[in-house]
Amino acid sequence: LLGIEKGSGKPVIITDREVNQHELVVGTTGSGKTTTVANFAESATQRELACLAIDGKGDPDLAEKARILAEKHGRTYKQFSMHWPSCRYDPLAHGGITELKDKLLYLTEWSEPHYEALAGRYLQFVFRVFERAGICAIIATQSLSDIEAAAGKAVVNQIIDNCNVFTIHRQNSPESAEILAGIIGTREGVEVTRQVQSVAGIVLETGLGSVRQVREYVVHPDEVKNLKTGEAIVVRKLTGEVLRVKVRKC
């Protein structure tokens, strides 16, 4: 249960089958993104499913929320961190010589487009493995531009292509809001114009005008920019549904 649909009050449930085809959650700081992710984590812990959360920013609030959820449902919780209390993990404890070499090699940042393209292909392979193994991948970020800055445009495109559910919280950047509105899609619309003229300072219609078909956003970028905390646009690509949702607090 993600939340309730605004207007109808109907519960919005994201199924395991949908999440198995992967989900992207985007939202600026304070928009409710962490609460959305926590709902999926709670669902997993309630049903005794394994849940692995990887936070590149090392947000202590997210780690604490995960710990509380695990304790609430009697699940084992382990945390690996470079900055906070942590379990121990030696990434070089296992693997052959070639594998260990690769682990160290890929600690280095590469600026060549060739390696960016490789990363995109590897990511697509990972998504396919997850899907076939029944593993659900939920990617959460403040904006797509953050991923592009860190990993390149190819990786952003791979994520968009391989996710079938999008949960979109508020975006402050006009560019980010427009990109996400474009991902949601457009529909046929009608644009009506009317000709006017000023007579003695009074604006009057002349009776002339035009009507033409246009493509318009299903969700306008301004709506994305004006979402309140805890509100989200949920897009189901498989069914074509676009829902305005109030996310539940867990």
Side-chain angles (χ1 to χ4, degrees), residues 133-169:
I135 298 173
C136 304
I138 300 173
I139 300 173
T141 182
Q142 290 191 353
S143 69
L144 291 175
S145 59
D146 286 348
I147 299 176
E148 183 174 352
K153 185 69 174 178
V155 173
V156 172
N157 289 337
Q158 291 288 352
I159 291 172
I160 293 172
D161 288 343
N162 284 280
C163 288
N164 282 302
V165 180
F166 296 82
T167 301
I168 300 169
H169 290 275

Side-chain angles (χ1 to χ4, degrees), residues 177-194:
E178 188 167 356
I179 290 171
L180 291 167
I183 292 172
I184 295 170
T186 60
R187 62 190 171 197
E188 290 285 350
V190 176
E191 182 179 77
V192 179
T193 61
R194 293 183 175 87

Side-chain angles (χ1 to χ4, degrees), residues 100-112 115-116 119 150:
L100 295 177
K101 178 265 295 181
D102 289 341
K103 287 180 180 180
L104 294 174
L105 185 65
Y106 289 121
L107 290 174
T108 303
E109 293 185 1
W110 302 94
S111 59
E112 295 296 327
Y115 292 103
E116 179 183 334

Side-chain angles (χ1 to χ4, degrees), residues 233-248:
I233 307 294
V234 175
V235 183
R236 288 171 153 144
K237 285 293 185 179
L238 290 179
T239 62
E241 285 184 288
V242 178
L243 307 173
R244 278 80 173 171
V245 178
K246 180 66 176 177
V247 177
R248 68 178 283 269

